[in-house]
């Protein structure tokens, strides 16, 4: 492992937990072999989509970035507009190959108008760095809802549904090569069914023809040390998926 990467993992508090290689179990008398996660096959996971668990509130949008930004800034489609300081549309490269989608702004994001700038954001930046990515460089970061849910509660189904056309419009404008859903709220918003991250990670899903991977939300990882190794596997998996997509 390069010293840069070790440094990144140390800063994330992940050094001893995350490893690039996964040790395979050795047969008696055999040497242990190191294996990296298998490159994903570039086919949708084939899971039949059940009827949407979440009801959509508004019809699909079709608007350019400027109009989308103005519409989101002035949005009053749900009660989250009441307590927000500002709506947080997203940040990054609008031509990015990578799109990361989180849940919704917290207090710092509401204050600064940018997604993932608090503790979870620091971890996300470190996770990106661990696979050679940087916020704003071929990476766009958005959220399922654009306004802060009070007390950092989870956004309600109707709030997610009211905001979904904005996210979908962002995704249509960006048309990334790969979407990464961070946590169940983002995954459910995009895949329109109940998602348990533990059961759906490590697979290529599909959003309107764009491959989609689900992984743990950084806030969850800050609370749940034991799943950081799995998050590292997911990072390796998404990096391998992107390599395969680029060479397809
Ligand atoms: N958590 C999220 O899901 N999004 C943010 O922007 C910040 C924290």
């Amino acid at each position: 492992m390069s010293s840069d990467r070790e440094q990144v993992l140390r800063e994330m508090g992940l050094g001893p937990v995350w490893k690039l290689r996964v040790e395979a179990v050795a047969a008696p008398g055999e040497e242990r072999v190191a294996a990296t996660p298998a490159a994903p096959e570039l086919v949708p996971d084939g899971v039949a989509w059940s009827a949407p668990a979440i009801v959509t509130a508004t019809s699909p949008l079709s608007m350019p970035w400027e109009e989308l930004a103005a519409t989101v800034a002035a949005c009053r489609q749900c009660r989250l507009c009441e307590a927000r300081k500002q709506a947080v549309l997203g940040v990054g490269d609008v031509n990015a190959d990578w799109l990361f989608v989180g849940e919704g702004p917290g207090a710092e994001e509401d204050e600064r108008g940018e997604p993932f700038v608090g503790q979870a954001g620091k971890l996300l930046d470190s996770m990106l760095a661990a696979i050679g990515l940087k916020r704003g460089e071929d990476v766009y970061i958005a959220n399922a809802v654009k306004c802060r849910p009070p007390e950092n509660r989870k956004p309600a189904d109707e709030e997610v549904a009211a905001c979904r056309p904005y996210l979908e419009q962002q995704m249509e404008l960006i048309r990334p090569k790969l979407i990464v859903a961070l946590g169940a709220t983002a995954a459910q918003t995009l895949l329109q069914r109940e998602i348990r991250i533990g059961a759906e990670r490590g697979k290529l899903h599909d959003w309107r023809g764009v491959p989609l991977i689900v992984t743990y939300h950084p806030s969850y990882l800050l609370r749940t040390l034991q799943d950081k190794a799995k998050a590292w596997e997911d990072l390796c998996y998404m990096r391998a998926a992107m390599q395969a997509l680029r060479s397809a």
Side-chain angles (χ1 to χ4, degrees):
M1 193 185 299
S2 77
S3 58
D4 277 0
R5 177 159 292 146
E6 279 173 353
Q7 169 79 14
V8 166
L9 295 180
R10 261 200 309 280
E11 280 168 12
M12 294 165 73
L14 302 180
V17 184
W18 288 16
K19 291 195 179 121
L20 182 57
R21 287 167 186 274
V22 179
E23 282 204 350
V25 181
E30 266 184 357
E31 255 186 37
R32 276 176 177 266
V33 279
T36 48
E41 280 183 51
L42 294 181
V43 289
D45 63 2
V47 176
W49 289 12
S50 52
I54 300 166
V55 182
T56 48
T58 32
S59 54
L61 303 174
S62 177
M63 51 175 71
W65 276 110
E66 260 180 29
E67 191 181 344
L68 179 63
T71 307
V72 168
C75 180
R76 303 199 64 81
Q77 293 280 341
C78 81
R79 65 190 156 184
L80 293 184
C81 67
E82 287 161 18
R84 73 171 178 224
K85 288 205 169 110
Q86 57 189 316
V88 180
L89 178 63
V91 69
D93 176 358
V94 295
N95 298 308
D97 281 353
W98 294 88
L99 171 64
F100 290 80
V101 182
E103 182 174 289
E108 289 188 63
E109 290 78 17
D110 181 54
E111 190 71 45
R112 289 174 50 187
E114 182 171 332
F116 284 101
V117 290
Q119 280 307 310
K122 289 199 179 80
L123 178 55
L124 178 60
D125 284 342
S126 298
M127 291 164 72
L128 297 179
I131 53 168
L133 299 176
K134 192 164 179 210
R135 173 186 295 250
E137 291 180 11
D138 204 21
V139 170
Y140 192 93
I141 303 172
N143 277 313
V145 297
K146 311 303 185 205
C147 297
R148 179 194 178 197
E151 269 92 59
N152 295 334
R153 65 165 168 77
K154 273 197 175 305
D157 287 356
E158 64 273 17
E159 294 158 355
V160 173
C163 223
R164 207 174 97 213
Y166 301 139
L167 176 62
E168 289 181 343
Q169 181 61 25
Q170 284 177 294
M171 294 162 79
E172 289 291 359
L173 288 166
I174 298 168
R175 275 264 144 202
K177 273 200 163 52
L178 183 63
I179 299 165
V180 180
L182 301 165
T185 300
Q188 282 168 191
T189 304
L190 297 172
L191 296 176
Q192 285 292 283
R193 59 185 171 85
E194 291 294 322
I195 297 286
R196 280 183 40 248
I197 297 297
E200 305 285 351
R201 50 183 285 277
K203 297 178 191 170
L204 272 190
H205 301 269
D206 173 86
W207 180 84
R208 298 186 187 170
V210 182
L212 182 152
I213 289 170
V214 310
T215 187
Y216 297 103
H217 191 284
S219 301
Y220 168 84
L221 293 173
L222 288 170
R223 299 190 302 269
T224 320
L225 287 175
Q226 69 268 24
D227 279 337
K228 284 184 175 173
K230 291 184 193 158
W232 175 243
E233 281 174 21
D234 293 349
L235 285 168
C236 294
Y237 181 75
M238 61 185 84
R239 184 180 54 180
M242 182 59 87
Q243 275 163 3
L245 284 162
R246 284 183 172 148
S247 57

